[in-house]
């Protein structure tokens, strides 16, 4: 039932329509269209390093970049912010539209309790001050996918203010140094999402899908405390994890549930901030980092060449990898805000201010929501470090990859192997395989149980590490077999027969007198060659340490 | 039968003196006879007859739904009616058939009322004459009354009778005319600045504006959300209370309705007014007030005084700022509310398709009349970033002052305020259109509009006929959510003044048989 032939509106060129001459929405806080790139999976796993190291360019050291973010997160709720229509991604066009969503005259907004709770929970998780009284406003602009001609938002008095988001960036050559950073959160406001415009260039028409119109959004405004694309992308990733842990948003960027606009400026340290540009509609963490870094460079070069930065809205062309100005022929838009007259002030309570005898269905208790907050990612990571002696950067990776933590924990449940061993296998071997094939954890052919069993075999010294790698490869290739089956089929079990192994050692030394000579002459590395030869003879089924011990014993005897 | 009040005809239905279908047919016939009044935009004959049939079945089984079962009612054409065109008297919504009923409409239907049709109004309820809609002006039934005609005969005018008809007032003029001309027993209006009370006064019927938040606005196509209230037009105060009893109450679809359970609106018959304190706001004595209305106002005050009520002069000092303040707030909300009419989802759409913007512009130019466009323009001006503080915020502050004026007066012990409803009786159309809509609205709303700022209940009750034989109404204003108390006082007043029934026999010609036996018996007795 999906609209045929139509393409989702994508950044850059898609804005320019064959026939319908309309400027894009611009300015802060307008619901940003999903502009779904259609490339799924890029945010689920296998995120490339967030920012590619920029080559040092001239004058860069003299400039400081300032980056702030406006993030729109779609609230995970059964129904929309002000109407009873369902919220569901990729439903047939216009199948989830109530009379209110279509702005039929006479319809009125009715606030969805779940959305308010989601906003409060998010505010609490981000250390915000929750306003006990917040207000709704109308923000006006004409656009085909905004049926009422205005968006209901919280311009004057938002539901949460003054919070902070802590995140960690990995730096250094091996990205093994973890630096903790904090970005201040200016506010969180509740607002409506817009519908989607589907531009059909061939037929010179625009079709409107209102399924998304009126879905609840959390607009999270991050203060300009970041200084590069990686920081911004990492902060967004942390926010994404928090939202997902809270269940307040699925925060899937590919599905448009998390959309980011970045405000970027550069200045010389010690001087006032520069003129900022806004880059809109960034729909993946990777593009976010790229776009910001590109824009920083562009601004520096512009200024170095004696140019000036315009306060403008730009979009990121992900094909060209650069930002381009969005057409902005009317200049700054005046949204003509007005208080939403159909919604009384939103009042929240805490246990102290809760009116006696209040109907629990009619009031929201902040304290109660605070008690119900689930474990946040920072706590989860801390626990991993404490419980398993894991390195902080490993705990970061475990959480950053969707489903990886759960996979790890499931392996842990079924194995006797050391946590460090498990971590190493999950983060190096398992994740490496996934990335190589661009798969999500959920798509892995190897189950946690299988890996656990394999690690048990390793732990029991039933197989060698090298054999374990082979078993893993085999598990990956031919799902369905257990590690034990593979081990026995391929005869990979470790040689437990001491005598046989000793004979093999003896035979190898005899076959390679030159190596033995080297060793005796004092080249300590020569023993490694012997070990390798013995292992080869055992078809890698012997434990190298054991071989080494035997060789040394035989040499000294 | 048609001349009776809602309560009387309800009793007749219960007693089987008349069936709902007979009643419905009589009203339909009268609607046709009075078509020239232009009170109705849409007559929903088939719907009404079907509803009558069902009502009849209920009566036969003895399962009447209540006082409204089988009662013909009319609804202003700015309330959404499922399956029935709802135009707001605008090209923009011509042909628009809503898929849902306004809560108030649904409540009437749930009580078994028969929906006779949708009544005429000023475009999007912007006006005080019911003259500025695309379907043409509504004519005041009193233009054709025996009372008015006899007075006119005494004066040699020589003017063309055909062009000399009177306006109904507005913007709910169609509803007022429909009730006044006996084509239904109650009608819904809407009241944002006086749009129910003003035509009620001009048409000699009762016009109630309930407290803001008491009656759901869901489905009422808004003018000013923060002031709009569904209004009730009936032939007597008790009827208004009956209808209010049906309509009032929390609606989960309108977050501005109060949650408190609604008390009964059955009105006691006051015999003693000595414990009442009636306030007479001195600021309402304006130079433009006609001497006739002024003297009736004084007479009414004396009536209360003579019966033992305490009548005191009070001050509402910010009254004079009300009209200009209203202008800013009204146009600002209008600019916002009208933004949805872009030709995309529903309503009029122009033929131009070179660009979306061009389509919007042409659609809105073709869809809205000058009055609507003018208000949108002013409203957007007031909401501009550079003007917002100076206009909108200021106006909101003034609004608070105006509302506080009322609070102060009521806190000082006043129970009900007594004021004129309009400056004068209804004027002829030709005279009315000499001024532009804005001036006329400012004049028409002068006594009614501050009430909307404060969200208070108010009711216009016809008091007497002017020297010209035209109705003059007075307004009672009550404390917020003290609608019952307000109506109780109004009912006492109504009983004292014995306002005469409109005599329409002459103009109705052969239809007069409808009234023959009824009109004589119509009275305000229960």
């Amino acid at each position: 039932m999906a609209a045929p032939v139509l393409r989702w509106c994508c950044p850059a060129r898609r804005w320019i329509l064959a026939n319908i001459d309309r400027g894009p929405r611009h300015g802060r806080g307008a619901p940003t269209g999903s502009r779904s790139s259609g490339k799924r999976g890029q945010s689920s796993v296998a995120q490339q390093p967030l920012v590619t190291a920029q080559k040092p360019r001239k004058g860069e050291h003299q400039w400081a970049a300032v980056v702030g973010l406006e993030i729109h997160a779609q609230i995970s709720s059964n129904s929309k912010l002000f109407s009873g229509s369902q919220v569901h991604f990729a439903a047939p066009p216009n199948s989830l539209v109530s009379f209110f969503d279509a702005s039929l005259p006479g319809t009125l907004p009715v606030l969805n309790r779940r959305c308010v709770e989601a906003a409060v929970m998010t505010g609490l998780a981000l250390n915000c001050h929750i306003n006990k009284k917040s207000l709704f406003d109308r923000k006006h602009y004409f656009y085909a996918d905004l049926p009422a001609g205005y968006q209901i938002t919280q311009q004057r008095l938002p539901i949460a203010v003054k919070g902070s988001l802590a995140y960690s960036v990995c730096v250094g050559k091996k990205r093994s140094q973890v630096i903790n950073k904090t970005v201040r959160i200016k506010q969180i406001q509740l607002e409506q999402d817009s519908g989607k415009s589907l531009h059909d260039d061939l037929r010179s028409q625009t079709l409107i899908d209102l399924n998304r119109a009126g879905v609840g959004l959390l607009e999270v405004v991050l203060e300009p405390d970041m200084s590069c694309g990686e920081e911004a992308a990492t902060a967004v990733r942390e926010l994404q994890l928090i939202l997902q842990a809270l269940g307040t948003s699925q925060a899937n960027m590919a599905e448009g549930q998390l959309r980011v606009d970045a405000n970027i400026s550069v200045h010389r340290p010690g001087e006032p901030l520069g003129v900022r540009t806004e880059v809109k509609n960034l729909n993946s963490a990777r593009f976010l980092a790229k776009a910001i870094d590109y824009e920083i460079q562009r601004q520096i070069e512009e200024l170095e060449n004696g140019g000036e930065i315009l306060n403008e809205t730009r979009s990121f062309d992900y094909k060209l990898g650069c930002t381009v100005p969005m057409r902005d022929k009317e200049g700054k838009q005046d949204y003509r805000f007005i208080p939403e007259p159909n919604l009384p002030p939103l009042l929240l309570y805490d246990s102290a201010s809760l009116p006696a005898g209040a109907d629990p269905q009619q009031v929201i208790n902040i304290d109660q929501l605070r008690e119900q907050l689930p474990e946040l990612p920072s706590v989860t990571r801390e626990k991993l470090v404490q419980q398993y002696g894991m390195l902080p950067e490993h705990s970061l990776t475990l959480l950053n990859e969707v489903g990886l933590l759960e996979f790890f924990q499931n392996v842990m449940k079924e194995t006797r192997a050391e946590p460090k061993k498990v971590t190493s296998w999950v983060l190096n071997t398992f994740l490496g395989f996934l990335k190589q094939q661009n798969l999500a954890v959920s798509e892995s052919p190897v189950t946690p149980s299988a890996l656990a069993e394999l690690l048990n075999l390793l732990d029991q010294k039933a197989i060698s590490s090298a054999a374990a790698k082979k078993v893993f490869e085999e598990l990956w290739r031919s799902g369905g077999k257990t590690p034990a089956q593979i081990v026995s089929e391929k005869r990979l079990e470790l040689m437990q027969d001491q005598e046989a192994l000793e004979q093999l050692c003896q035979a190898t030394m005899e076959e390679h007198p030159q190596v033995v000579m080297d060793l005796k002459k004092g080249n300590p590395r020569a023993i490694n060659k012997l070990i390798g030869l013995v292992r080869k003879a055992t078809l890698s089924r012997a434990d190298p340490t054991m071989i080494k011990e035997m060789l040394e014993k035989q040499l000294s005897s | 039968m048609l001349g009776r009040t809602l309560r009387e005809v309800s009793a007749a239905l219960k007693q089987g003196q008349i069936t709902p279908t007979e009643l419905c047919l009589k009203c339909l016939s009268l609607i046709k006879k009075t078509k020239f009044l232009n009170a109705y935009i849409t007559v929903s004959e088939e719907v009404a007859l079907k509803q009558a049939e069902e009502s009849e079945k209920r009566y036969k089984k003895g399962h009447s739904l209540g006082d409204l079962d089988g009662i013909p009612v009319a609804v202003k054409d700015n309330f959404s009616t499922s399956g029935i065109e709802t135009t707001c008297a605008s090209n923009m919504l011509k042909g628009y058939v809503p898929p849902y009923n306004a809560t108030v409409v649904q409540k009437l239907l749930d009580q078994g009322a028969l929906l006779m049709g949708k009544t005429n109004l000023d475009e999007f309820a912007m006006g005080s004459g019911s003259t500025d809609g695309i379907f043409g002006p509504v004519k005041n039934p009193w233009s054709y009354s025996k009372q008015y005609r006899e007075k006119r005969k005494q004066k040699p005018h020589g003017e063309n009778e055909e062009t000399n008809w009177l306006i109904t007032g507005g913007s709910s003029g169609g509803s007022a005319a429909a009730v006044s001309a006996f084509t239904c027993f109650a009608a819904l209006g809407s009241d944002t600045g006086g749009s129910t009370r003003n035509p009620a006064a001009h048409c000699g019927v009762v016009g109630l504006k309930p407290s803001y938040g008491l009656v759901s606005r869901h489905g009422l196509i808004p003018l000013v959300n923060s002031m709009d209230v569904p209004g009730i037009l009936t032939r007597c105060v008790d009827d208004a209370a009956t209808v209010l009893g049906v309509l009032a109450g929390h609606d989960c679809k309108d977050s501005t309705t109060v949650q408190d359970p609604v008390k009964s609106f059955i009105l006691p018959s006051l015999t003693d007014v000595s414990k009442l304190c009636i306030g007479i706001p001195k600021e309402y004595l304006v130079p433009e007030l006609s001497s006739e209305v002024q003297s009736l106002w004084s007479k009414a005050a004396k009536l209360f005084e003579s019966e033992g009520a305490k009548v005191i002069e009070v001050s509402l000092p910010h009254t004079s700022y009300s009209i200009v303040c209203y202008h800013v707030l009204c146009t600002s909300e209008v600019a916002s509310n009208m933004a949805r009419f872009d030709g995309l989802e529903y309503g009029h759409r122009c033929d131009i398709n070179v660009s979306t913007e061009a389509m919007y512009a042409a659609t809105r130019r073709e869809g809205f009349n000058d009055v609507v466009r003018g208000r949108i323009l002013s409203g957007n001006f007031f909401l501009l970033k550079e003007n917002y503080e100076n206009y909108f915020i200021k106006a909101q502050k003034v609004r608070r002052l105006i509302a506080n004026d009322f609070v102060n007066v009521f806190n000082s012990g006043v129970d009900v305020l007594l004021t004129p409803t309009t400056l004068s009786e209804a004027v002829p159309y030709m005279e009315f259109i000499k001024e532009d809509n804005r001036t006329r609205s400012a004049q028409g709303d002068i006594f009614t509009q501050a009430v909307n700022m404060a969200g208070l209940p108010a009711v216009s009750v016809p008091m007497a006929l002017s020297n010209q034989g035209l109705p003059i109404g007075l307004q009672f204003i009550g404390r917020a959510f003290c609608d019952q108390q307000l109506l109780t006082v109004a009912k006492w007043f109504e009983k004292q003044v014995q306002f005469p029934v409109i005599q329409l026999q002459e103009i109705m010609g052969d239809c007069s048989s409808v009234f023959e036996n009824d009109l004589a018996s119509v009275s305000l007795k229960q």
Side-chain angles (χ1 to χ4, degrees):
Chain A
M1 277 293 283
V5 222
L6 296 174
R7 282 159 297 186
W8 297 104
C9 182
C10 289
R13 207 191 68 77
R14 284 265 155 261
W15 284 110
I16 299 145
L17 307 170
N19 180 357
I20 294 155
D21 177 22
R22 73 158 61 106
R25 281 161 291 168
H26 38 257
R28 67 174 295 283
T32 53
S34 100
R35 328 300 168 209
S36 176
S37 73
K39 270 181 78 180
R40 291 193 58 177
Q42 62 198 9
S43 79
S44 58
V45 94
Q47 280 170 5
Q48 270 99 42
L50 290 171
V51 63
T52 47
Q54 300 276 334
K55 275 177 247 156
R57 298 183 200 189
K58 64 165 182 173
E60 192 173 25
H61 60 282
Q62 301 169 22
W63 295 95
V66 174
V67 180
L69 300 175
E70 279 166 23
I71 299 162
H72 289 93
Q74 240 179 40
I75 298 171
S76 173
S77 58
N78 293 329
S79 56
K80 296 184 179 178
L81 181 55
F82 297 122
S83 79
S85 341
Q86 283 197 324
V87 176
H88 188 61
F89 182 73
N94 293 310
S95 61
L96 308 174
V97 186
S98 70
F99 300 150
F100 174 79
D101 304 329
S103 80
L104 291 198
T107 53
L108 299 169
V110 179
L111 185 56
N112 181 343
R113 178 193 176 93
R114 157 70 191 160
C115 293
V116 177
E117 288 174 343
V120 172
M121 286 169 72
T122 307
L124 291 172
L126 295 174
N127 313 302
C128 288
H129 168 76
I130 307 294
N131 280 324
K132 297 239 179 77
K133 176 185 173 183
S134 60
L135 303 171
F136 290 96
D137 305 281
R138 293 177 178 182
K139 170 180 178 168
H140 300 88
Y141 59 94
F142 282 105
Y143 202 79
D145 54 28
L146 186 78
Y150 56 80
Q151 174 200 31
I152 303 179
T153 179
Q154 294 196 297
Q155 192 235 355
R156 291 167 298 164
L157 195 52
I159 189 160
V161 293
K162 290 182 188 159
S164 64
L165 170 67
Y167 63 99
S168 305
V169 195
C170 296
V171 296
K173 254 187 189 167
K174 289 178 167 176
R175 308 185 65 76
S176 59
Q177 193 188 342
V178 175
I179 296 183
N180 295 321
K181 303 214 168 214
T182 302
V183 51
R184 288 168 299 149
I185 286 167
K186 185 175 178 229
Q187 63 186 56
I188 300 174
Q189 64 199 48
L190 276 166
E191 61 183 34
Q192 294 173 298
D193 208 341
S194 66
K196 280 177 181 167
S197 297
L198 309 157
H199 304 297
D200 181 352
D201 293 354
L202 283 176
R203 295 183 183 80
S204 299
Q205 61 181 4
T206 297
L207 301 179
I208 310 297
D209 179 5
L210 294 181
N211 281 353
R212 203 184 64 178
V215 170
L217 291 179
L218 297 173
E219 183 182 316
V220 184
V221 182
L222 269 52
E223 296 278 14
D225 297 340
M226 293 152 287
S227 61
C228 67
E230 182 178 7
E231 284 187 10
T234 314
V236 167
R237 180 66 188 132
E238 184 64 15
L239 178 65
Q240 204 175 16
L241 289 175
I242 292 172
L243 295 171
Q244 286 164 348
L246 294 170
T248 55
S249 173
Q250 291 176 34
N252 182 341
M253 290 185 94
E255 290 185 0
Q257 289 146 349
L258 196 76
R259 309 192 282 273
V260 183
D261 302 336
N263 292 304
I264 301 152
S265 71
V266 297
H267 67 119
R268 291 183 192 276
E271 287 179 15
L273 296 183
V275 176
R276 66 177 199 185
T277 60
E278 185 179 28
V279 182
K280 288 194 91 76
N281 304 332
L282 298 163
N283 57 18
S284 84
R286 195 156 56 95
F287 293 153
L288 169 67
K290 273 193 169 179
I292 290 170
D293 287 334
Y294 174 88
E295 182 60 16
I296 291 170
Q297 274 311 317
R298 187 192 70 82
Q299 291 189 11
I300 290 172
E301 277 164 30
E302 188 74 39
L303 292 169
E304 298 250 315
N305 294 331
E308 64 173 330
I309 304 302
L310 301 174
N311 182 1
E312 65 184 351
T313 306
R314 302 175 70 89
S315 67
F316 182 65
D317 186 322
Y318 66 96
K319 283 180 189 147
L320 300 175
C322 65
T323 65
V324 288
M326 284 163 85
R327 299 189 320 150
D328 196 351
K329 60 187 173 189
E330 291 161 57
K332 276 285 154 202
Q333 194 159 337
D334 189 332
Y335 292 113
R336 291 161 287 121
F337 286 98
I338 187 172
E340 167 56 63
N342 295 317
L343 288 169
L346 169 56
L347 300 180
L348 304 172
Y349 301 90
D350 53 26
S351 296
S353 66
L354 199 67
D359 177 359
Q361 285 307 305
Q362 294 295 327
V363 292
I364 288 178
N365 183 341
I366 301 167
D367 290 333
Q368 202 181 330
L369 287 174
R370 186 182 282 115
E371 282 163 27
Q372 291 168 5
L373 284 184
E375 183 178 289
L376 294 176
S378 56
V379 178
T380 310
R381 283 192 291 255
E382 185 59 29
K383 279 189 180 172
L384 288 171
V385 171
Q386 296 288 330
Q387 199 175 337
Y388 302 123
M390 196 180 282
L391 292 170
E393 65 263 32
H394 290 162
S395 70
L396 277 169
T397 314
L398 268 189
L399 265 75
N400 278 344
E401 305 294 343
V402 176
L404 196 60
L405 175 65
E406 198 191 352
F407 188 94
F408 170 82
Q409 285 167 333
N410 286 336
V411 176
M412 284 302 296
K413 270 183 220 159
E414 298 184 40
T415 186
R416 287 181 295 274
E418 284 292 302
K420 276 189 180 168
K421 196 71 153 182
V422 179
T423 309
S424 161
W425 269 81
V426 168
L427 290 185
N428 298 325
T429 316
F430 177 69
L431 190 58
F433 271 69
L434 285 176
K435 288 199 172 181
Q436 203 175 17
Q437 302 193 13
N438 199 19
L439 292 179
V441 173
S442 58
E443 296 165 317
S444 155
V446 176
T447 62
S449 306
L451 182 57
E453 190 189 332
L454 173 60
L455 294 178
N456 281 343
L457 291 172
L458 188 62
D459 189 56
Q460 294 155 13
K461 298 201 189 295
I463 53 172
S464 68
S465 295
K469 290 264 157 59
K470 278 188 187 161
V471 175
F472 186 84
E473 275 170 42
E474 197 56 33
L475 276 174
W476 194 274
R477 241 196 318 271
S478 56
K481 283 182 192 162
T482 66
Q485 278 174 324
I486 295 169
V487 166
S488 103
E489 275 173 25
K490 304 254 167 188
R491 307 197 55 233
L492 291 168
E493 56 284 276
L494 213 52
M495 279 184 70
Q496 305 289 354
D497 187 343
Q498 292 262 349
E499 228 168 280
L501 193 56
E502 270 170 22
Q503 280 171 14
L504 261 179
C505 287
Q506 189 66 40
T508 306
M509 290 202 301
E510 281 162 14
E511 278 164 35
H512 298 89
Q514 192 58 46
V515 184
V516 177
M517 281 298 283
D518 280 1
L519 191 62
K520 285 185 172 166
K521 277 181 193 163
N523 181 356
R525 271 178 297 181
I527 196 162
N528 290 341
K529 185 153 190 195
L530 283 178
I531 294 170
L533 288 164
V534 177
R535 286 195 68 209
K536 205 174 173 188
T538 64
L539 303 164
S540 296
R541 286 156 56 212
D543 182 1
T545 6
M546 202 188 282
I547 299 171
K548 195 181 175 195
E549 278 170 21
M550 285 181 183
L551 285 171
E552 281 168 348
K553 204 171 110 194
Q554 288 177 11
L555 281 165
S556 61
S557 63
Chain B
M1 191 62 73
L2 292 189
R4 296 189 183 182
T5 67
L6 190 160
R7 287 200 160 187
E8 289 163 351
V9 83
S10 183
L13 283 168
K14 281 172 193 158
Q15 289 158 18
Q17 291 169 15
I18 189 167
T19 69
T21 305
E22 286 165 0
L23 191 60
C24 183
L25 285 168
K26 284 187 178 193
C27 284
L28 285 170
S29 151
L30 200 48
I31 288 171
K32 280 174 196 140
K33 297 285 174 198
T34 58
K35 198 169 185 301
F36 63 93
L37 293 177
N38 206 15
Y40 288 82
I41 291 173
T42 305
V43 179
S44 46
E45 183 169 348
E46 276 179 38
V47 172
L49 283 169
K50 197 159 171 289
Q51 288 164 340
E53 206 179 298
E54 280 161 21
S55 171
E56 200 154 331
K57 281 185 204 156
R58 288 191 293 268
Y59 274 108
K60 273 182 187 155
K61 285 184 193 161
H63 294 154
S64 145
L65 294 171
D67 287 344
L68 289 187
D69 203 345
I71 304 287
V73 299
V75 172
K76 190 177 179 180
D77 208 23
N78 59 351
F79 286 94
S80 289
T81 42
S82 179
I84 301 171
E85 191 179 352
T86 299
T87 68
C88 286
S90 174
N91 277 322
M92 188 56 93
L93 284 180
K94 213 172 165 186
Y96 168 65
V97 180
Y100 74 101
N101 278 324
T103 297
V104 285
V105 171
Q106 192 59 51
K107 283 187 164 184
L108 290 176
L109 298 181
D110 289 346
Q111 291 292 310
L114 317 180
L115 179 58
M116 308 311 290
K118 303 297 291 291
T119 59
N120 205 348
L121 65 157
D122 291 299
E123 184 161 336
F124 281 102
M126 296 182 203
S128 60
S130 300
T131 53
D132 289 341
I134 55 159
F135 300 103
V138 185
K139 296 178 179 176
N140 191 327
W142 285 87
S143 318
Y144 310 96
S145 71
K146 196 175 160 192
Q147 291 101 322
Y148 178 61
R149 299 227 146 185
E150 276 174 359
K151 298 280 184 184
R152 286 189 66 78
K153 273 180 205 156
Q154 294 161 10
K155 301 175 199 165
H157 271 287
E159 291 163 23
N160 187 349
E161 290 286 329
E162 286 310 303
T163 60
N164 219 5
W165 50 271
L166 310 157
I167 61 146
T168 53
S171 62
S172 312
S175 288
V179 173
S180 170
F182 304 110
T183 64
C184 61
F185 291 85
L188 294 184
S190 63
D191 195 311
T192 310
S195 279
T196 293
R197 290 158 286 159
N198 175 294
H202 285 328
C203 293
V205 297
V206 171
L208 169 66
K209 175 223 173 282
S211 296
Y212 185 88
L214 186 62
V215 180
S216 169
R217 293 179 295 114
H218 172 251
L220 166 61
I221 298 176
L223 175 57
V224 185
N225 300 280
S226 63
M227 300 188 209
D228 290 343
V229 179
I232 298 164
L233 296 117
T234 53
R235 289 201 276 276
C236 72
V237 175
D238 263 326
D239 288 357
T242 301
V243 177
L244 181 62
V246 169
L247 302 185
H250 178 66
D251 178 10
C252 60
K253 291 174 183 157
D254 178 357
S255 309
T256 63
T257 50
V258 289
Q259 307 256 356
D260 314 343
V262 170
K263 287 166 263 165
S264 154
F265 289 101
I266 296 168
L267 306 178
S269 293
L270 270 190
T271 47
D272 177 16
V273 293
S274 64
K275 289 197 180 73
L276 270 184
C277 179
I278 307 287
I280 310 289
K282 63 177 183 186
E283 289 80 7
Y284 282 51
L285 185 59
V286 293
E288 301 93 323
L289 184 61
S290 80
S291 56
E292 234 177 331
V293 175
Q294 192 190 328
S295 78
L296 279 174
W297 185 18
S298 310
K299 205 174 150 190
K302 285 195 188 96
L303 173 65
F304 275 99
E305 212 162 20
S306 66
E307 293 294 321
K310 189 176 161 194
V311 178
I312 56 167
E313 186 186 87
V314 296
S315 174
L316 299 165
H318 298 95
T319 300
S320 61
Y321 306 110
S322 192
I323 290 292
V324 63
C325 170
Y326 175 77
H327 181 70
V328 174
L329 295 177
C330 168
T331 57
S332 298
E333 276 199 42
V334 163
S336 176
N337 287 333
M338 295 293 150
R340 70 187 59 216
F341 298 103
D342 56 12
L344 283 178
E345 279 84 12
Y346 43 79
H348 176 71
R349 186 192 294 187
C350 70
D351 296 328
I352 294 165
N353 61 0
V354 283
S355 75
T356 310
E357 280 84 359
M359 190 274 283
Y360 287 159
T363 294
R364 289 164 70 79
R365 186 176 61 244
E366 292 165 12
F368 294 137
N369 69 5
D370 288 351
V371 177
V372 179
R373 289 211 305 276
R375 291 201 193 182
I376 292 172
L377 201 61
S378 331
N380 277 321
F381 175 79
F382 298 135
L383 291 179
L384 286 177
K385 210 172 180 181
E386 69 257 36
N387 295 334
Y388 188 74
E389 284 282 331
N390 287 335
Y391 291 93
F392 190 78
I393 295 287
K394 283 253 163 65
Q396 275 191 317
K397 287 177 178 170
V398 174
R399 178 180 184 173
R400 176 59 62 90
L401 291 174
I402 291 165
N404 285 346
D405 280 356
F406 285 104
V407 171
N408 293 338
V409 162
F410 286 122
N411 282 347
S412 75
V414 168
D415 295 304
V416 167
L417 293 168
L418 173 63
T419 79
T421 308
T422 54
L423 287 167
S424 68
E425 77 257 85
V427 296
Y429 176 72
M430 297 311 284
E431 202 173 302
F432 185 75
I433 59 170
K434 282 177 190 162
E435 295 279 10
D436 66 52
N437 176 290
R438 206 182 120 197
T439 314
R440 287 186 263 118
S441 297
Q443 290 169 348
D445 292 345
I446 192 161
F447 301 125
T448 47
Q449 175 274 313
V451 165
N452 296 76
M453 297 265 204
L456 305 175
V459 61
S460 177
V461 182
M463 181 178 179
L465 294 184
S466 70
N467 293 334
Q468 285 204 84
L470 292 175
I472 288 173
L474 291 184
Q475 172 179 241
F476 294 91
I477 303 168
R479 296 164 195 259
F481 298 103
C482 294
D483 302 56
Q484 196 211 18
Q485 183 195 29
L486 170 76
L487 289 172
T488 305
V489 174
K491 179 178 168 179
W492 178 88
F493 178 73
E494 176 187 61
K495 194 178 174 191
Q496 305 300 311
V497 296
Q498 292 291 318
F499 180 74
V501 170
I502 184 171
Q503 294 181 18
L504 286 176
Q505 294 95 324
E506 286 179 34
I507 197 69
M508 306 266 177
D510 57 335
C511 198
S512 61
S513 61
V514 172
F515 300 100
E516 265 168 13
N517 300 318
D518 297 320
L519 285 173
S521 67
V522 167
S523 73
L524 296 164
K525 68 174 186 284
Q526 290 177 43

